[in-house]
Amino acid sequence: MNEQAKCGLFTREGAQVPLQGVEVTGELLGGHARVRVTQRYRNDEKKPVEAIYVFPLPSDATLSAFSMTCAGRRVAGVVKEREAAFRAYDDAITEGHGAALLDQERANVFTAQVGNLLPGEETLVEVEFLQTLTAEEGSVRWMLPTLVAPRYIPGPVHGDRTGHGSAAPTTRVPDADRISPPTSLNVDYGLRMDLLIDVGRDVVVESPSHRLTVTKEGTRTRVKLQRDSLYRNFAGDEVELNRDVVLTMRNANPDVMLTPVVTHRKAEGPGTFALTVVPDLLNLATTPPRQEVVFVVDTSGSMAGDSLPQAQAALRLCLRHLREGDRFNVIAFENSFRTFSAQTVPFTQRTLEQADAWVAGLKAYGGTELLEPMVSAMKAAPDGVVVLLTDGQVGNESEILNAVLAARGTGRVFSFGIGTNVSDALLRDLARRTDGAVEFIHPGERIDEKVVAQFSRALAPRVTDLEVRFDGVEASELAPSTLPPLVDGTPWTLFGRYAQAGTGSVTLKGKSGREPFSLTVRLDLPALSDRPVVEKLWAAERIRGWMDAGLVGRRAEAMKERIVKLAIEHQLATQYTSFVVVEERQGDRRASGTPETRVVPVNAPAGWSMFNQAPGDVDDDEAEGGLADAMAPGRPGKMPAMRGMPQKKMAAPAAAVSRSRGGAVPPPPPSLSAPAPAPARDLGPEPTTGSSFHAELADGAGPAGGRAAPMERKEQESAKQKGGFLERLVSAAKPRKAAAPAAPSLQQHAPRAQEDKAEVRYEQEEVLPLSVAESSIPTEDVGSLLGQQLANGLWAGTGEGPEPVRQARATARVLLVLLREGITSSHPLHGAQVKKAVDALLALAAQLGQAPDVAELALGVAWLVAAGPRTRGRIEQAAKPLPGLGGRLEDTAALRQHMETLATR
């Protein structure tokens, strides 16, 4: 162990960094989370110092408390207007007292300044925040970011510095120096976590990001992190702060984690309520209208390593959720952007294959110039759907959000946050302001579940133009002020205030398409209730709505005053208010002079290849000295292309605050930087699977400059030669002993370095013993079989009968073959295609009235491969006209054996 590891973290100049570690404690309760982040500082120098630490919190968090503990004495912070808080902090430091200041830079970026840390003394700074938790299908996902990752900072340098970041202010990101902490490859402070989960009954807690220690305490569950043995300098249960902490909590009952109405009211003054409903709108479901969908995929340098393969896999699954008749396009962006086609094209078998090949050729390089491709996408589908796949690491979030809102009609943005350190603020704002949604995909998580969830929301029945009416009780100051739509199966929450206790109801009215909609919910508002978290969440939502108003001039100033007043009243940190705490000191504990500043560096993000390049991955101009040599002092021109930024815009990955600038990143390869898309080609008549379209791609060339990957070409050639493959699988099946399901293959997308860090447990249906013939097929044949799925989600069939009957029979047989291999709708890689087939069979069921045996086969197999309770509920409804099927749904073994028999007829 070297001397630096023994004595702590040092800056490049040799000064010690006082941050010793971070500890996360708290409770995840039925409706909300209350979490405390404690930062432990110790000054091992011989003089007082000031520590500055830029750290993240969830963008939907509401900061509720801030405190500092010195020499065993805890002092609570107070919220003041931002400049007033800074003056109080600065005056206290100048006068020799202890003080701490907490500023909000962005919705998910905060700066803690801790002044006059005394020699040999330990100081604890505690930040407490609240979050609303919602459950869907009985599952809750909770994520805690652990570092502020480097961001792409566009625009020329402009303005004076007010922070200590590695980047300078620019015309487009004037606070760049406040959101760019220095990055280090050797950060010795770590993270501990101790969370108590209490939802009234047992839950299953898992993590795709970290190893966990889970302890049951009755119906409560205590969760801690396990130390990674690779990091010997950390104690006990301490881990690196280099990737988000992700927890998932599952319960068999999807509604137990939601309380419909939660209130808070003291003996005097108004009360506050939070009403949550989970609308069941399946009875409103009709054939969804044809969609216009534009996919926008980030191929900047920040996506290098693990993130781009994740995005490519998610994008391929997204494509397979489109339906025949939908129109789509794909935009890939870095410093510039290029498109799959000059305009949106119909979703057909041929365009699906072309898009697959084009996506396979994407490479990660360059900066994150997100504004222009998002505006282009929104203009291409002003009333459609834009699907964004990115890590969100940009500095000009407000500029992008405003441009998207200006370009849209009624279009919605659905985002996938990809990677280990996603910046969620922009993605959540885009979802909230466009009535869209956001999902986060951490390495090791099931991609298909996220894709299914997103497209379920995009295509789900929804109620718009909502109005609220209260009967029997009076409510005011509702938040959000602009009511979001009700979306089937998605929790919807309304906050408000009430002056008098009472019992009544609230009615939500709106439109589902052109049809009127009304939902009435009972509302009990008590005279006394002790849930103060509700009041803070109401105030935070109220402030968020005011911030979204986008007012200018005198009205903007009046709105700012209103925000400051409400934030101070409820002690909330906002863009205009900060927490400050002052410890009055006397005698020897009172410092003299101005303390020197120590800026705390943050970890290099896990999975970002520019921080961990293999010898073969180093750029040509770095090969001489390697990564370590490129980062050495005095060689700024040899820095790697970190984050895909131009050299002058990137944060130097060093333990010290670096002002080094200069150097240039070579231009990206021509194939990735074409300024304009190639003209759309006449695609000609629709090919069938195995047509000459595969020969067109035999040399790797795809449409608009894309290239098919070698494996894809091999599979395409294989598909050409496998005529009648489905029929051979079904008819030539040989008896064999039932085998265990195939192991999930998503690990190929997870970071190699994390294989020992994250315990990802996949649950698969038990393979039941069968008394009928079944076949086992090689993995490559599974891929070929899935490759024959038609754009409508079905498989083509042969034999007698009308086409719906042939396709239903063929699809059911394919799903049975996949089931034998353990592939269901919950499979980590192929589940999305299975889910699409199930939905297609449900849509086709009404056309199978003249073939009841095929209808029974189709719905029975759909039940066997469907994982979600809502989907199975739809199958039950469709199966009611088939008396022979309904009774078998309760006995999986008997149902499966019956389906195998039907499939051979």
Side-chain angles (χ1 to χ4, degrees), residues 184-219:
S184 173
L185 296 175
N186 185 21
V187 171
D188 283 345
Y189 62 85
L191 170 69
R192 288 189 175 93
M193 187 182 75
D194 186 347
L195 289 179
L196 186 64
I197 300 171
D198 185 1
V199 295
R201 61 184 65 192
D202 287 339
V203 292
V204 176
V205 183
E206 298 172 317
S207 173
S209 62
H210 292 78
R211 292 180 180 271
L212 301 179
T213 298
V214 179
T215 306
K216 297 293 184 181
E217 300 177 359
T219 59

Side-chain angles (χ1 to χ4, degrees), residues 553-582:
R554 296 175 64 186
R555 293 198 65 200
E557 286 300 314
M559 183 68 76
K560 177 180 177 180
E561 292 177 6
R562 196 175 298 123
I563 291 172
V564 169
K565 180 180 178 181
L566 188 62
I568 291 176
E569 179 184 351
H570 294 280
Q571 292 291 283
L572 301 175
T574 69
Q575 180 179 335
Y576 304 127
T577 57
S578 299
F579 271 106
V580 64
V581 57
V582 174

